[in-house]
Amino acid sequence: MAERGAQQPPAKRLCCRPGYGSTCRQGQRAGAPAGGHGEPSPGKTHNPESLLDIAARRVAEKWPFQRVEERFERIPEPVQRRIVYWSFPRSEREICMYSSFGSGGAEELAGGPESGDETRLPFRRGVALLEGGCVDNVLQVGFHLSGTVREPATEAQCSVSISFDRCKITAVTCGCGDKDIFYCAHVVALSLYRLRSPELVKLRLPISETLFQMNRDQLQKLVQYLITVHHTEVLPTAQKLADDILSQNSQINQVHGAPDPTAGASVDDENCWHLDEEQVQEQVKLFLSQGGYHGSGKQLNLLFSKVREMLKMRDSNGARMLTLITEQFMGDPRLALWRQQGTTMTDKYRQLWDELGALWMCIVLNPHCKAEQKSSWLRQLRRWNGVDVCPLEDGNHGGELTHLTNALPHAGSREPLSRAHRTVFTRAIEACDLHWQDPHLQHILTEERYAGRCHRDDLGAAPFDGRGRPLWHEHVPTACARVDALRSHGYPKQALRLAVAVVNTLRRQQHRQLDVFRSHKKEVLHKGVTSITNMEGWVGHPLDPIGTLFTTLTDTGHTCDHTSLSLSGPPGAGRWAEPAVPAHHFPEEAETLTALAVETALMGLGQQRSMPEGLYAQEKVCRNEEQLLAKLQQVDLDQDHTLVQVFRKQALVLLEAGPYSGLGELLYRESVPMHTFAKYLFTSLLPHDAQLAYKIALRAIRLPVLESGVACGSHHMVSVVANRYPRWFTLSHIESQQCELASTMLTAAKGDNVKLQTVLESIQKNIHSSSHIFKLAQDAFKIATMMDSLPDLTLLKVSLELGLQVMRMTLSTLNWRRREMVRWLVTCATEVGVLALDSIMQSWFALFTPTEATSVVASSVMSSATVLRLHLDSHQQDKLAKSARTLALQCAMKDPQNCALAALTLCEKDQVAFETAYQIVLDAAAAGMNYTQLFTVARYMEHRGYPLRAYKLATSAMAHLNLSYNQDTHPAINDVLWACALSHSLGKSELAAVIPLVVKSVKCATVLSDILRRCTLSAPAAAPHARRNSAHKAMALEKAPLRQLLDATVGAYINTTHSRLTHISPRHYGEFIDFLGKARETFLMAPDGHAQFSQFIDNLKQIYKGKKKLMMLVRERFG
């Protein structure tokens, strides 16, 4: 750990002999020779411990040795030796705590898991070195222990020295040079050697005693031999000291006595374990700089755990270490950067700040800290709190929270809570005003009996309930913070007593709230107004009050076995006694702490509370709820009938508690939903009380924040939070939990028609997300069609109803899963039966778009797979087909552009329906169908053997087409070529009718020349609909209709040439020459084509003579 390889600092106090000077201490040590070994530990003998050892042990633990010397004129050598002997630490627990990230518990001391990480811990390595016989040359001189430790792998020898005082290691030095927060393995090995084998350690009195026994010659010989052995290290220092001593006016001669690093601590020295502050700061700074990567977040959490471990051991270094950590956190440069950029810190980093604030809360609530300590902490906290980059408690916003010392809000109170700038340190600052001197609080902690217990049940702050059980009326999170502080500082039984008192207070409060609501229920329900009973909810609270109570009640029994509870308070506070928790703390004789913990968690989770503002605060509510439920799930209800009764009782109370409960009849709009909690209650109660389980789940499925009106349940209510519209950042998570609750109910209700119908109605009323309803429909379908059983028709119908609701919800909105939803609905309806399929086709307009209805629904219904799946007879097939054709025609009329082709396809087997569909297409062709759709239908008609109908549709398509001169890769080109080929095959008159449309619509020269060449050939002989007389007869170019096409093609080439030459670049010259070559081929098709082309080239040369290089290429190619 600290000061690896550095020189051990000298002791602060000076040692001298009587008569040395006027200010020399008046003690005198015995002058016997200091030699021999330490005496065996009393633990290794069966003899009673001597009074000398008993006294020396107590003195060595509590008194600095200087005070012992000042108190007594003469201290016999045996007494000194026993004090020195007992001053070394006596437990391995602290050694383990300062040499590992572990908890310092029995698992580390016993060896722990044999994993690779565990064996690399300094403590485990130190144990291995000790057990391997690597520790040697151990010598204890006064309050200083030294020795060498050998590394087996390298045979390197590490010199180790340890200073100690009052059973604590105060300084360490090791030659290994390692830099770390914790003691190195060599320090651990030497410490454990002294702890486990004190009889093998050579024990000497402080070196000043040995020097006092020497005469002048002996002292001179000692100094000269010391200089000779270590002349390279100490000679300069020895000469300087000699010069100072020989100088009368030197500083060294102005001070009486001389320092002795082995004589123990002075009265003014702070007695605490050695902690390398520099290494703590460096390690925390390193972890923060890694930004959560490389396990740095885990390492910081381990440091926080180490602070808690120190607090539990009542080690003052806990607060000291946390101060060092906090300074580094406050100096994190990312805080200023995030503030400047307006961004938020990461969630994991935010949780580290929360733990930091909670730890400071524990520290300032130390029940026996001194006033000056608390004042010092308060100054630090206020300084950090005043820094502008200090993180706020709720993440991003100021919170609407009460002061810690305020009482619980009274029912019906509508006073708005003031907003304040609350940082992560604000609660700790407020906690500095709290104290532990309240007589009633002391009674709870010490279990002292009052002369007479007064019970005032008519008052809200009675100290006892009707059965004489103590109560503690305080702001609940603050009271729980006291409990956490007691546990953290090593007082588990006192923490348990206070926790039981707090829980009994919550119980009493819950029953009083229930009585108040019952007495005013009719009035409240009639008004329909609910007040916000608790803006500061217990679940998700920065102090985690419910989690603290639950952990205290369930873990204290184990903790008490390992923790000493003897505690002396400050003057006047008395001592805290240690009796077991008395039975009268509990309402029932058979009730256990586990049952009390479960009831507390249920009360906290069921509390109606306002959704906090800000992303982090809302995520913390969800996370804290999940953590509490995870703890509850570890409790086995089947093994304890009492716990089932606790669940049943709390469930009934929560259902009847009105505005005080999140499961009550009245909910305000911003209330935190109960879906996750209700799901746990439902699954827990279902085997024991199904009716109550369903009642809880059906009540909890509500989500008022998404209700369009003010209706909630069977009553109307108005939120009293005026003009507040919080952003629910976690809404998607909340809705998914609502969906999970509904799915759980559907699964459990399988086979029960009444419950299924009730759950279905609740889902349809309360769930507003189409994707979640679709998931529920899918879940129900899977459960209903499980392979190991026959299909559950009732659950299938529920699935279908949910699917139909999804169709209605998403019909007019964009949803990327819409097509999947439609296909799934058809599958579900198929499983339900013919009537379901017919029903969705009859009401298609309310469920599907025309495209979906024709391309998916009708097509699937008329497929052979559906016929086989449903085992349809001919009559049923005809009926379904008729419905499908009717649907197709209706869709074609509503959306002919997208449904015409599908309608024609579906109506092929019914001539009347087919003709109707064709007429719809003709009407739409004149009304707005685009050329692509018309060409598609025209090709279909040709394929089905209707060439004249195809021709008619193709001409309509041509009228809507327009191809410019440069669109030689347009996708419609193939359709144009096909239309011309179709016209050519039908005859000259049809071709003559199409060519004017082509000339008008197509301006692209290459496309026109392609059409021209095709038309000069014979009509397609393979066409079954070609006319006999004209099928193989070629058409003349000089006559109509091809002459018009030829002229148009030549004109297109001329226009295109001029257009291309306007912005042509040299890299396109070669492509342009090829284009002119194609143009020449077209020109030559005319009788006077050669002359026309020559004139065209001459014109180009004259007009574009400035493009010399291009014109040279033209002359080379075309003359």
Side-chain angles (χ1 to χ4, degrees):
M1 188 173 164
E3 304 165 17
R4 302 281 190 245
Q7 184 67 27
Q8 183 83 10
K12 293 180 181 178
R13 71 186 186 92
L14 305 177
C15 300
C16 62
R17 302 302 302 166
Y20 185 89
S22 60
T23 60
C24 181
R25 67 172 185 266
Q26 298 300 313
Q28 181 179 5
R29 296 194 179 103
H37 300 286
E39 298 183 19
S41 170
K44 296 188 178 182
T45 178
H46 297 288
N47 297 327
E49 194 172 10
S50 67
L51 290 176
L52 173 59
D53 272 321
I54 293 174
R57 185 169 59 186
R58 295 296 293 173
V59 169
E61 181 179 355
K62 299 295 183 182
W63 284 28
F65 197 66
Q66 181 183 1
R67 179 165 294 174
V68 177
E69 293 174 322
E70 292 173 349
R71 176 66 176 82
F72 302 100
E73 290 187 5
R74 182 176 182 276
I75 307 172
E77 181 182 343
V79 175
Q80 293 187 52
R81 292 174 61 82
R82 299 316 293 164
I83 292 176
V84 169
Y85 174 86
W86 286 112
S87 292
F88 196 80
R90 305 165 194 170
S91 169
E92 295 185 11
R93 183 178 298 276
E94 288 85 357
I95 307 297
C96 180
M97 181 173 70
Y98 278 93
S99 58
S100 66
F101 265 125
S103 62
E107 59 275 11
E108 284 89 352
L109 297 175
E114 295 300 326
S115 66
D117 290 339
E118 187 72 18
T119 57
R120 287 197 297 269
L121 290 175
F123 183 80
R124 297 303 312 145
R125 290 184 57 238
V127 171
L129 290 172
L130 174 63
E131 294 174 349
C134 299
V135 182
D136 199 8
N137 303 321
V138 182
L139 173 66
Q140 179 178 341
V141 180
F143 297 86
H144 183 274
L145 182 71
S146 63
T148 59
V149 181
R150 175 176 50 85
E151 278 288 355
T154 62
E155 295 298 325
Q157 295 280 347
C158 296
S159 297
V160 183
S161 63
I162 299 174
S163 297
F164 52 90
D165 172 49
R166 283 169 277 179
C167 302
K168 296 176 182 176
I169 292 176
T170 57
V172 299
T173 303
C174 181
C176 67
D178 290 345
K179 296 287 186 179
D180 198 359
I181 294 176
F182 303 115
Y183 299 167
C184 68
H186 311 110
V187 172
V188 172
L190 181 61
S191 302
L192 295 182
Y193 185 94
R194 170 62 176 79
L195 273 167
R196 296 182 181 183
S197 306
E199 70 279 359
L200 302 179
V201 178
K202 296 177 183 179
L203 183 86
R204 302 287 189 273
L205 293 179
I207 193 66
S208 55
E209 287 291 336
T210 304
L211 296 177
F212 179 72
Q213 299 171 28
M214 298 181 180
N215 59 32
R216 183 187 181 285
D217 292 338
Q218 291 173 320
L219 288 172
Q220 182 172 357
K221 183 177 292 188
L222 172 66
V223 172
Q224 290 182 214
Y225 267 98
L226 183 63
I227 293 173
T228 301
V229 175
H230 301 287
H231 66 278
T232 58
E233 292 90 358
V234 304
L235 183 57
T237 304
Q239 185 61 55
K240 182 180 184 302
L241 291 174
D243 293 341
D244 288 344
I245 291 173
L246 293 175
S247 174
Q248 294 296 326
N249 298 325
S250 64
Q251 182 65 32
I252 198 170
N253 285 321
Q254 306 302 316
V255 180
H256 296 289
D260 182 359
T262 67
S266 67
V267 175
D268 299 329
D269 287 345
E270 184 180 1
N271 182 231
C272 61
W273 284 81
H274 174 65
L275 180 68
D276 191 335
E277 296 188 0
E278 181 181 352
Q279 281 302 308
V280 172
Q281 293 172 326
E282 288 298 322
Q283 289 291 325
V284 175
K285 188 175 182 179
L286 174 64
F287 294 150
L288 289 174
S289 67
Q290 292 173 350
Y293 301 102
H294 313 295
S296 59
K298 180 181 179 181
Q299 296 297 319
L300 288 169
N301 277 316
L302 288 173
L303 280 180
F304 288 145
S305 298
K306 183 61 63 179
V307 172
R308 286 193 178 272
E309 184 184 353
M310 291 176 175
L311 296 181
K312 195 171 185 179
M313 300 289 288
R314 301 172 198 170
D315 188 335
S316 60
N317 278 339
R320 183 178 162 203
M321 187 172 182
L322 187 61
T323 301
L324 298 172
I325 294 173
T326 307
E327 289 287 1
Q328 294 304 311
F329 266 73
M330 290 300 298
D332 190 343
R334 291 179 297 172
L335 292 177
L337 180 64
W338 286 331
R339 181 181 179 87
Q340 181 181 4
Q341 296 177 345
T343 56
T344 58
M345 62 182 69
T346 62
D347 187 63
K348 289 184 178 180
Y349 187 57
R350 175 69 240 195
Q351 291 178 44
L352 293 173
W353 276 101
D354 283 350
E355 179 65 10
L356 198 66
L359 281 171
W360 275 113
M361 189 79 176
C362 286
I363 285 177
V364 300
L365 281 178
N366 182 350
H368 289 153
C369 72
K370 298 178 182 178
E372 55 269 24
Q373 281 183 319
K374 185 176 286 190
S375 298
S376 174
W377 294 332
L378 180 59
R379 287 192 298 272
Q380 284 184 153
L381 290 167
R382 283 176 173 168
R383 176 169 60 85
W384 294 327
N385 189 72
V387 179
D388 57 353
V389 296
C390 184
L392 300 184
E393 183 179 65
D394 58 357
N396 301 305
H397 308 290
E400 297 179 342
L401 306 176
T402 58
H403 190 278
L404 284 173
T405 55
N406 289 351
L408 288 168
H410 295 288
S413 174
R414 302 182 186 178
E415 292 295 327
L417 299 173
S418 60
R419 297 176 63 88
H421 178 84
R422 301 182 63 86
T423 72
V424 292
F425 301 117
T426 301
R427 292 184 183 275
I429 293 172
E430 294 171 352
C432 290
D433 297 332
L434 302 175
H435 61 81
W436 297 84
Q437 280 72 44
D438 183 86
H440 183 60
L441 178 60
Q442 287 296 315
H443 160 74
I444 294 172
L445 299 179
T446 61
E447 197 57 30
E448 295 173 355
R449 298 293 190 270
Y450 280 0
R453 294 186 177 181
C454 59
H455 166 62
R456 303 187 300 275
D457 195 45
D458 56 325
L459 299 178
F464 299 94
D465 65 7
R467 301 184 61 181
R469 297 171 298 190
L471 306 175
W472 180 240
H473 296 276
E474 189 176 27
H475 178 233
V476 173
T478 307
C480 295
R482 290 183 185 271
V483 174
D484 189 30
L486 290 169
R487 290 182 69 247
S488 299
H489 288 281
Y491 309 118
K493 289 189 177 180
Q494 287 81 1
L496 180 60
R497 295 182 190 124
L498 182 57
V500 172
V502 173
V503 173
N504 285 331
T505 306
L506 293 180
R507 283 170 154 179
R508 184 169 181 268
Q509 179 194 29
Q510 186 184 54
H511 289 299
R512 289 176 65 85
Q513 290 174 343
L514 183 60
D515 293 340
V516 169
F517 176 65
R518 283 174 175 171
S519 62
H520 300 86
K521 183 174 182 178
K522 290 184 179 179
E523 177 185 354
V524 173
L525 295 181
H526 177 71
K527 290 182 177 179
V529 177
T530 177
S531 61
I532 296 180
T533 58
N534 200 334
M535 289 290 295
E536 190 178 35
W538 300 333
V539 175
H541 192 278
L543 299 178
D544 189 19
I546 302 301
T548 297
L549 292 176
F550 188 93
T551 303
T552 303
L553 293 169
T554 54
D555 292 353
T556 301
H558 173 74
T559 306
C560 290
D561 296 337
H562 304 286
T563 307
S564 171
L565 298 176
S566 177
L567 175 64
S568 297
R575 296 174 61 86
W576 286 355
E578 310 306 331
V581 179
H584 71 261
H585 271 221
F586 305 114
E588 299 178 12
E589 294 181 0
E591 188 172 26
T592 64
L593 288 176
T594 301
L596 201 64
V598 168
E599 185 172 8
T600 303
L602 297 180
M603 283 192 289
L605 288 165
Q607 176 203 33
Q608 184 168 184
R609 53 199 181 272
S610 177
M611 176 65 76
E613 295 185 30
L615 171 61
Y616 179 75
Q618 293 176 15
E619 288 180 340
K620 190 171 183 179
V621 168
C622 299
R623 183 168 56 250
N624 193 200
E625 182 180 38
E626 291 168 357
Q627 291 168 347
L628 283 172
L629 291 176
K631 293 178 180 179
L632 282 172
Q633 286 168 351
Q634 297 175 0
V635 178
D636 190 355
L637 294 184
D638 297 331
Q639 300 297 323
D640 191 343
H641 180 69
T642 306
L643 294 179
V644 177
Q645 297 304 318
V646 170
F647 268 77
R648 184 179 285 111
K649 182 186 77 171
Q650 270 302 313
L652 291 172
V653 170
L654 291 173
L655 285 172
E656 298 177 10
Y660 302 99
S661 165
L663 298 172
E665 294 179 77
L666 294 174
L667 284 182
Y668 50 89
R669 184 176 181 270
E670 299 86 359
S671 174
V672 174
M674 297 281 115
H675 306 130
T676 309
F677 175 46
K679 179 187 174 184
Y680 169 74
L681 281 180
F682 179 81
T683 54
S684 301
L685 286 170
L686 190 62
H688 309 285
D689 192 337
Q691 183 176 358
L692 181 59
Y694 275 100
K695 192 172 183 180
I696 285 282
L698 291 171
R699 180 73 64 81
I701 202 171
R702 298 169 297 177
L703 189 54
V705 74
L706 294 183
E707 298 292 339
S708 56
V710 295
C712 183
S714 58
H715 305 287
H716 292 268
M717 31 105 15
V718 179
S719 172
V720 299
V721 186
N723 300 321
R724 180 176 174 223
Y725 300 98
R727 294 181 61 189
W728 284 45
F729 297 95
T730 57
L731 186 59
S732 60
H733 172 76
I734 291 170
E735 288 187 286
S736 66
Q737 292 301 307
Q738 183 189 36
C739 177
E740 288 294 327
L741 173 61
S743 179
T744 303
M745 284 195 288
L746 284 175
T747 303
K750 181 180 180 181
D752 190 325
N753 295 347
V754 176
K755 284 188 173 63
L756 279 174
Q757 187 60 35
T758 304
V759 174
L760 172 63
E761 293 173 358
S762 180
I763 292 171
Q764 291 175 325
K765 178 180 179 181
N766 294 288
I767 298 184
H768 307 281
S769 167
S770 59
S771 60
H772 288 121
I773 297 178
F774 182 51
K775 181 182 182 301
L776 288 173
Q778 290 178 306
D779 291 346
F781 183 79
K782 291 176 183 177
I783 298 167
T785 57
M786 294 176 68
M787 297 299 294
D788 57 349
S789 61
L790 293 174
D792 187 311
L793 188 58
T794 305
L795 193 53
L796 274 175
K797 290 181 178 179
V798 169
S799 176
L800 180 62
E801 282 296 322
L802 292 174
L804 294 175
Q805 183 175 351
V806 172
M807 292 297 101
R808 288 189 287 267
M809 293 173 69
T810 59
L811 179 60
S812 58
T813 60
L814 295 176
N815 191 306
W816 65 274
R817 299 185 64 190
R818 173 72 184 181
R819 191 168 185 84
E820 175 193 355
M821 294 173 175
V822 174
R823 290 187 181 278
W824 177 88
L825 182 71
V826 175
T827 302
C828 182
T830 303
E831 289 295 324
V832 174
V834 177
L835 294 179
L837 285 174
D838 189 64
S839 175
I840 64 173
M841 286 192 293
Q842 295 294 336
S843 57
W844 72 268
F845 49 86
L847 304 172
F848 314 108
T849 65
T851 305
E852 293 167 346
T854 53
S855 63
V856 179
V857 180
S859 299
S860 299
V861 169
M862 295 187 68
S863 67
S864 57
T866 302
V867 174
L868 294 175
R869 180 71 183 87
L870 296 176
H871 307 290
L872 300 178
D873 56 29
S874 59
H875 175 71
Q876 291 174 321
Q877 292 182 42
D878 292 342
K879 185 177 180 181
L880 273 183
K882 183 178 180 181
S883 296
R885 288 192 291 268
T886 302
L887 177 150
L889 293 174
Q890 292 173 347
C891 293
M893 293 184 67
K894 188 171 184 180
D895 186 7
Q897 291 86 350
N898 297 311
C899 300
L901 182 58
L904 288 168
T905 305
L906 291 169
C907 297
E908 284 179 352
K909 295 183 179 180
D910 187 299
Q911 189 61 34
V912 176
F914 186 81
E915 292 297 330
T916 304
Y918 175 65
Q919 188 58 47
I920 292 173
V921 174
L922 289 179
D923 295 341
M929 283 185 73
N930 61 47
Y931 61 85
T932 303
Q933 297 162 340
L934 289 172
F935 275 130
T936 302
V937 177
R939 284 176 178 264
Y940 165 80
M941 296 302 290
E942 184 199 28
H943 178 70
R944 302 306 299 172
Y946 300 100
L948 292 176
R949 293 183 176 183
Y951 167 75
K952 189 172 183 179
L953 292 173
T955 56
S956 298
M958 291 293 294
H960 294 83
L961 180 64
N962 185 20
L963 289 180
S964 63
Y965 75 93
N966 57 352
Q967 291 183 295
D968 51 357
T969 59
H970 195 281
I973 291 174
N974 287 331
D975 290 322
V976 173
L977 296 175
W978 169 82
C980 293
L982 175 64
S983 304
H984 195 184
S985 67
L986 289 177
K988 183 177 180 180
S989 59
E990 285 79 3
L991 181 60
V994 142
I995 284 179
L997 295 175
V998 172
V999 171
K1000 181 180 179 182
S1001 303
V1002 180
K1003 306 300 180 183
C1004 182
T1006 55
V1007 175
L1008 289 173
S1009 64
D1010 193 6
I1011 296 173
L1012 181 62
R1013 286 182 178 83
R1014 291 170 184 251
C1015 290
T1016 57
L1017 303 176
S1018 299
H1025 43 265
R1027 296 181 180 176
R1028 292 181 181 178
N1029 297 333
S1030 60
H1032 302 286
K1033 189 176 181 180
M1035 301 180 68
L1037 286 172
E1038 65 277 5
K1039 297 181 180 180
L1042 294 188
R1043 181 66 191 186
Q1044 182 184 4
L1045 181 59
L1046 177 60
D1047 293 341
T1049 305
V1050 171
Y1053 269 114
I1054 294 172
N1055 293 333
T1056 304
T1057 299
H1058 288 293
S1059 298
R1060 296 183 67 168
L1061 284 172
T1062 303
H1063 301 290
I1064 194 169
S1065 63
R1067 61 193 179 96
H1068 293 132
Y1069 284 175
E1071 180 183 343
F1072 177 73
I1073 296 300
D1074 294 337
F1075 175 76
L1076 286 181
K1078 294 179 181 179
R1080 182 171 61 179
E1081 294 175 2
T1082 303
F1083 271 79
L1084 294 178
M1085 295 177 73
D1088 55 345
H1090 182 76
Q1092 285 187 9
F1093 184 74
S1094 297
Q1095 182 63 41
F1096 174 56
I1097 293 298
D1098 292 339
N1099 291 339
L1100 291 181
K1101 294 174 184 178
Q1102 182 64 30
I1103 296 173
Y1104 301 101
K1105 59 184 177 181
K1107 300 181 183 294
K1108 296 180 181 179
K1109 185 176 180 179
L1110 178 59
M1111 293 302 106
M1112 182 182 69
L1113 294 175
V1114 171
R1115 282 192 295 270
E1116 289 177 357
R1117 179 76 176 271
F1118 304 106

